[in-house]
Protein backbone atom coordinates (compact mmCIF):
# COMPACT_ATOMS: atom_id res chain seq x y z
CA UNK A 1 0.00 0.00 0.00
CA UNK A 2 1.46 3.38 -0.98
CA UNK A 3 0.88 6.55 1.04
CA UNK A 4 -1.91 7.77 -1.25
CA UNK A 5 -3.96 4.57 -1.03
CA UNK A 6 -5.14 5.49 2.47
CA UNK A 7 -6.80 8.62 1.03
CA UNK A 8 -8.66 6.90 -1.87
CA UNK A 9 -12.12 7.10 -0.26
CA UNK A 10 -11.64 10.78 0.53
CA UNK A 11 -10.36 11.44 -3.00
CA UNK A 12 -13.42 9.72 -4.50
CA UNK A 13 -15.79 11.63 -2.20
CA UNK A 14 -14.13 14.94 -3.15
CA UNK A 15 -14.18 13.96 -6.81
CA UNK A 16 -17.94 13.42 -6.66
CA UNK A 17 -18.56 16.57 -4.62
CA UNK A 18 -16.64 18.86 -6.99
CA UNK A 19 -17.12 16.83 -10.19
CA UNK A 20 -13.38 16.56 -10.73
CA UNK A 21 -11.62 13.46 -12.06
CA UNK A 22 -10.43 11.46 -9.03
CA UNK A 23 -7.30 10.51 -10.96
CA UNK A 24 -6.42 14.18 -11.38
CA UNK A 25 -6.82 14.78 -7.64
CA UNK A 26 -4.63 11.77 -6.88
CA UNK A 27 -1.97 12.81 -9.41
CA UNK A 28 -1.76 16.26 -7.82
CA UNK A 29 -1.54 14.75 -4.33
CA UNK A 30 1.29 12.45 -5.41
CA UNK A 31 3.13 15.31 -7.13
CA UNK A 32 2.60 17.85 -4.37
CA UNK A 33 3.13 15.82 -1.19
CA UNK A 34 3.78 12.17 -2.14
CA UNK A 35 0.73 11.40 0.00
CA UNK A 36 2.20 12.93 3.18
CA UNK A 37 -0.67 14.65 5.00
CA UNK A 38 1.79 16.50 7.25
CA UNK A 39 3.78 18.04 4.40
CA UNK A 40 4.43 21.78 4.63
CA UNK A 41 6.57 24.14 2.58
CA UNK A 42 7.27 27.80 3.36
CA UNK A 43 7.30 29.99 0.25
CA UNK A 44 8.46 33.47 1.31
CA UNK A 45 7.76 35.15 -2.05
CA UNK A 46 4.06 34.28 -1.94
CA UNK A 47 1.55 37.16 -1.82
CA UNK A 48 -0.55 37.55 1.30
CA UNK A 49 -4.30 37.79 1.59
CA UNK A 50 -5.16 41.43 2.03
CA UNK A 51 -6.57 41.35 5.57
CA UNK A 52 -4.30 39.40 7.93
CA UNK A 53 -5.44 41.49 10.91
CA UNK A 54 -8.93 39.92 10.83
CA UNK A 55 -7.39 36.48 11.26
CA UNK A 56 -5.03 37.70 13.98
CA UNK A 57 -8.00 39.02 15.94
CA UNK A 58 -10.29 36.09 15.06
CA UNK A 59 -7.72 33.38 15.91
CA UNK A 60 -5.74 35.15 18.60
CA UNK A 61 -2.44 34.89 16.74
CA UNK A 62 0.27 37.38 15.84
CA UNK A 63 0.43 39.11 12.48
CA UNK A 64 3.76 37.38 11.82
CA UNK A 65 2.24 33.93 12.48
CA UNK A 66 -0.64 34.68 10.09
CA UNK A 67 1.73 35.94 7.42
CA UNK A 68 3.98 32.88 7.71
CA UNK A 69 0.92 30.59 7.64
CA UNK A 70 -0.39 32.29 4.50
CA UNK A 71 3.01 31.89 2.82
CA UNK A 72 3.08 28.16 3.63
CA UNK A 73 1.64 25.35 1.56
CA UNK A 74 -0.12 22.72 3.65
CA UNK A 75 -1.01 19.05 3.50
CA UNK A 76 -1.76 16.54 0.80
CA UNK A 77 -2.55 19.05 -1.94
CA UNK A 78 -0.10 21.68 -0.65
CA UNK A 79 -2.77 24.38 -0.50
CA UNK A 80 -1.21 27.76 0.10
CA UNK A 81 -2.55 29.50 3.20
CA UNK A 82 -3.22 32.66 1.19
CA UNK A 83 -5.16 30.62 -1.39
CA UNK A 84 -7.30 29.07 1.35
CA UNK A 85 -8.00 32.57 2.70
CA UNK A 86 -8.93 33.70 -0.80
CA UNK A 87 -11.36 30.77 -0.99
CA UNK A 88 -13.06 31.80 2.27
CA UNK A 89 -11.26 29.68 4.86
CA UNK A 90 -11.33 31.51 8.22
CA UNK A 91 -9.92 28.97 10.65
CA UNK A 92 -6.35 28.18 11.71
CA UNK A 93 -4.42 27.45 8.52
CA UNK A 94 -2.66 24.52 10.20
CA UNK A 95 -6.00 22.73 9.90
CA UNK A 96 -5.24 22.37 6.18
CA UNK A 97 -3.08 19.45 7.34
CA UNK A 98 -6.31 17.59 8.14
CA UNK A 99 -6.85 15.59 4.93
CA UNK A 100 -10.57 16.37 4.64
CA UNK A 101 -9.93 20.09 4.97
CA UNK A 102 -6.86 20.24 2.73
CA UNK A 103 -8.40 18.16 -0.05
CA UNK A 104 -11.62 20.17 0.13
CA UNK A 105 -9.76 23.45 -0.40
CA UNK A 106 -7.43 21.94 -2.99
CA UNK A 107 -10.44 20.72 -4.96
CA UNK A 108 -12.22 24.03 -4.48
CA UNK A 109 -9.19 25.73 -6.07
CA UNK A 110 -9.08 23.17 -8.89
CA UNK A 111 -12.77 23.78 -9.63
CA UNK A 112 -12.19 27.54 -9.70
CA UNK A 113 -9.32 27.06 -12.13
CA UNK A 114 -11.40 24.73 -14.32
CA UNK A 115 -14.04 27.41 -14.64
CA UNK A 116 -11.37 29.94 -15.56
CA UNK A 117 -9.19 27.91 -17.95
CA UNK A 118 -11.19 24.91 -19.17
CA UNK A 119 -8.09 23.06 -20.40
CA UNK A 120 -6.95 20.39 -17.96
CA UNK A 121 -3.26 21.08 -18.66
CA UNK A 122 -3.76 24.81 -18.04
CA UNK A 123 -5.55 23.98 -14.78
CA UNK A 124 -2.64 21.80 -13.64
CA UNK A 125 -0.15 24.53 -14.52
CA UNK A 126 -2.18 27.22 -12.76
CA UNK A 127 -2.65 25.05 -9.67
CA UNK A 128 1.11 25.04 -9.26
CA UNK A 129 2.08 28.55 -10.33
CA UNK A 130 -1.05 30.63 -9.77
CA UNK A 131 -1.85 31.01 -13.46
CA UNK A 132 -1.15 29.18 -16.70
CA UNK A 133 1.74 31.32 -17.98
CA UNK A 134 3.39 30.10 -21.15
CA UNK A 135 6.55 30.92 -23.07
CA UNK A 136 7.56 29.45 -26.43
CA UNK A 137 4.48 27.23 -26.49
CA UNK A 138 5.24 25.61 -23.13
CA UNK A 139 4.02 26.29 -19.63
CA UNK A 140 6.53 28.11 -17.46
CA UNK A 141 6.29 25.13 -15.11
CA UNK A 142 6.22 22.47 -17.84
CA UNK A 143 8.21 20.01 -15.70
CA UNK A 144 5.50 20.13 -13.05
CA UNK A 145 2.74 19.64 -15.64
CA UNK A 146 4.67 16.73 -17.17
CA UNK A 147 5.16 15.13 -13.75
CA UNK A 148 1.43 15.32 -12.94
CA UNK A 149 0.55 13.95 -16.38
CA UNK A 150 3.01 11.06 -16.14
CA UNK A 151 1.24 9.87 -13.02
CA UNK A 152 -2.19 10.72 -14.44
CA UNK A 153 -1.53 8.57 -17.53
CA UNK A 154 -0.57 5.64 -15.29
CA UNK A 155 -3.77 5.99 -13.27
CA UNK A 156 -6.00 6.33 -16.32
CA UNK A 157 -4.36 3.27 -17.92
CA UNK A 158 -5.46 1.17 -14.93
CA UNK A 159 -9.15 1.82 -15.64
Amino acid sequence: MNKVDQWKDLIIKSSECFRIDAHLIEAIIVTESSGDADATRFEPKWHLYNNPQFYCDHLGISKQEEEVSQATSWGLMQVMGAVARDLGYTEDLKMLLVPEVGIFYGCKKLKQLMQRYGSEEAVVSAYNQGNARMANGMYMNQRYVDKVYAYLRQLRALV
Side-chain angles (χ1 to χ4, degrees), residues 5-23:
D5 286 343
Q6 64 187 310
W7 311 117
K8 292 277 191 186
D9 289 341
L10 183 55
I11 291 167
I12 291 167
K13 180 180 172 189
S14 299
S15 167
E16 292 168 354
C17 176
F18 285 96
R19 296 177 187 227
I20 297 171
D21 179 2
H23 294 128

Side-chain angles (χ1 to χ4, degrees), residues 72-143:
T72 299
S73 56
W74 301 93
L76 290 167
M77 294 186 77
Q78 290 292 281
V79 177
M80 292 297 302
V83 167
R85 292 289 189 236
D86 239 3
L87 294 170
Y89 189 67
T90 60
E91 299 307 315
D92 185 341
L93 289 168
K94 292 175 188 77
M95 292 300 294
L96 292 167
L97 293 173
V98 174
E100 293 81 2
V101 177
I103 290 177
F104 177 87
Y105 280 92
C107 288
K108 190 171 183 178
K109 184 62 180 179
L110 280 174
K111 191 66 168 184
Q112 182 185 66
L113 293 170
M114 286 175 174
Q115 292 167 344
R116 178 174 179 190
Y117 292 105
S119 157
E120 190 177 68
E121 280 191 8
V123 167
V124 168
S125 175
Y127 187 84
N128 175 251
Q129 68 175 344
N131 60 49
R133 291 186 309 265
M134 295 183 89
N136 302 318
M138 296 178 70
Y139 293 104
M140 299 293 287
N141 61 342
Q142 190 66 50
R143 275 192 244 158

Side-chain angles (χ1 to χ4, degrees), residues 14-73:
S14 299
S15 167
E16 292 168 354
C17 176
F18 285 96
R19 296 177 187 227
I20 297 171
D21 179 2
H23 294 128
L24 177 60
I25 297 167
E26 182 174 345
I28 288 175
I29 288 172
V30 167
T31 304
E32 290 287 345
S33 69
S34 299
D36 180 1
D38 294 322
T40 59
R41 183 177 59 242
F42 178 65
E43 300 183 34
K45 295 181 181 179
W46 189 261
H47 72 280
L48 300 176
Y49 189 68
N50 53 2
N51 191 6
Q53 192 58 48
F54 166 80
Y55 301 102
C56 296
D57 296 342
H58 172 69
L59 299 170
I61 60 175
S62 70
K63 185 176 181 200
Q64 181 181 11
E65 184 177 349
E66 176 64 16
E67 288 175 352
V68 168
S69 291
Q70 284 194 30
T72 299
S73 56

